[in-house]
Amino acid sequence: ETGVTQTPRHLVMGMTNKKSLKCEQHLGHNAMYWYKQSAKKPLELMFVYNFKEQTENNSVPSRFSPECPNSSHLFLHLHTLQPEDSALYLCASSQGLGLAFFGQGTRLTVV
Amino acid sequence: AQSVSQHNHHVILSEAASLELGCNYSYGGTVNLFWYVQYPGQHLQLLLKYFSGDPLVKGIKGFEAEFIKSKFSFNLRKPSVQWSDTAEYFCAVNSGGSYIPTFGRGTSLIVHP
């Protein structure tokens, strides 16, 4: 248990579906991140929120839409995904200095 | 932009063998350095970190890493690995002015009993 909780743990969705990934942290951290972990590729930073404000959008396609309603919750809304978007999506949080705590991830499969 | 290179993508060892995983980064200024481990089916967790001070850092489970500034390196070591060390290991760096870590592509370690 890292203090960062992601739901669901597994998700299978069709290319026309709309779904959302949820991340929650109660560590008092001010920064939250979405990373994508694909096989044989480095962890890819997708979005960063600092004090609820989006500070990074790493050229992520618009079919991924983040939302940060407060400093404890982070969502990733998904719509019209492609099979190549299948990956492990990791949420992380930190209180400065890049010392990130990670959730267990959501294993997403797009069919 | 900073980048992180992990040279060994796959490492296979027998139990009790010594381990060294390479990590090099490209940023020339002040850096904070991390090693994360991801056991099969589990979340990424921090093994050790370097912010300042003694460049030889001790982490959990007998791991250590040495920061060599002149070589832009932060290699991970363990004198004697165990089967339970089988995992994916990630090096990460963030430059002094940023709180966002950049990750290497990871090294998959398999330890045979």
Side-chain angles (χ1 to χ4, degrees):
Chain A
E1 179 59 50
T2 65
V4 180
T5 304
Q6 288 186 244
T7 54
R9 293 289 308 280
H10 301 272
L11 177 63
V12 179
M13 60 185 289
M15 289 189 281
T16 58
N17 291 160
K18 288 184 180 181
K19 296 286 183 184
S20 296
L21 309 185
K22 181 182 176 182
C23 177
E24 189 173 350
Q25 60 94 4
H26 297 289
L27 301 169
H29 291 169
N30 56 276
M32 295 187 77
Y33 314 73
W34 280 116
Y35 282 90
K36 178 182 178 182
Q37 187 178 21
S38 306
K40 302 181 181 179
K41 292 173 85 172
L43 272 169
E44 300 170 59
L45 180 66
M46 299 175 72
F47 301 104
V48 182
Y49 278 81
N50 193 29
F51 292 105
K52 301 188 298 176
E53 297 297 320
Q54 185 175 315
T55 58
E56 293 277 336
N57 176 341
N58 229 17
S59 303
V60 180
S62 60
R63 57 186 184 268
F64 296 92
S65 174
E67 179 190 0
C68 188
N70 55 62
S71 56
S72 298
H73 294 85
L74 184 65
F75 295 90
L76 188 62
H77 303 300
L78 316 170
H79 64 99
T80 59
L81 295 192
Q82 305 298 312
E84 60 265 29
D85 297 321
S86 298
L88 182 69
Y89 288 85
L90 291 165
C91 175
S93 71
S94 74
Q95 184 65 30
L97 289 180
L99 183 57
F101 291 81
F102 285 82
Q104 292 189 287
T106 295
R107 176 69 63 185
L108 174 67
T109 304
V110 181
V111 298
Chain B
Q2 62 196 17
S3 65
V4 181
S5 298
Q6 291 183 242
H7 321 294
N8 319 102
H9 297 159
H10 301 279
V11 174
I12 301 174
L13 296 172
S14 298
E15 274 195 318
S18 64
L19 170 72
E20 181 159 2
L21 302 182
C23 174
N24 287 87
Y25 61 93
S26 64
Y27 187 73
T30 303
V31 291
N32 302 307
L33 301 153
F34 312 85
W35 275 97
Y36 284 84
V37 61
Q38 187 174 27
Y39 298 104
Q42 295 191 29
H43 57 269
L44 273 163
Q45 51 188 296
L46 185 68
L47 257 186
L48 46 79
K49 62 187 184 292
Y50 171 81
F51 290 164
S52 63
D54 188 345
L56 185 61
V57 181
K58 304 285 187 185
I60 60 171
K61 305 187 181 187
F63 286 90
E64 65 178 31
E66 185 175 11
F67 171 47
I68 303 179
K69 189 174 181 179
S70 60
K71 295 185 178 181
F72 299 90
S73 70
F74 190 56
N75 291 355
L76 181 71
R77 300 194 292 249
K78 186 171 183 178
S80 176
V81 294
Q82 301 172 307
W83 173 77
S84 57
D85 293 323
T86 294
E88 192 91 15
Y89 292 82
F90 295 88
C91 181
V93 176
N94 75 298
S95 58
S98 169
Y99 56 89
I100 303 170
T102 299
F103 284 82
R105 64 182 297 163
T107 297
S108 174
L109 171 66
I110 297 175
V111 180
H112 289 301

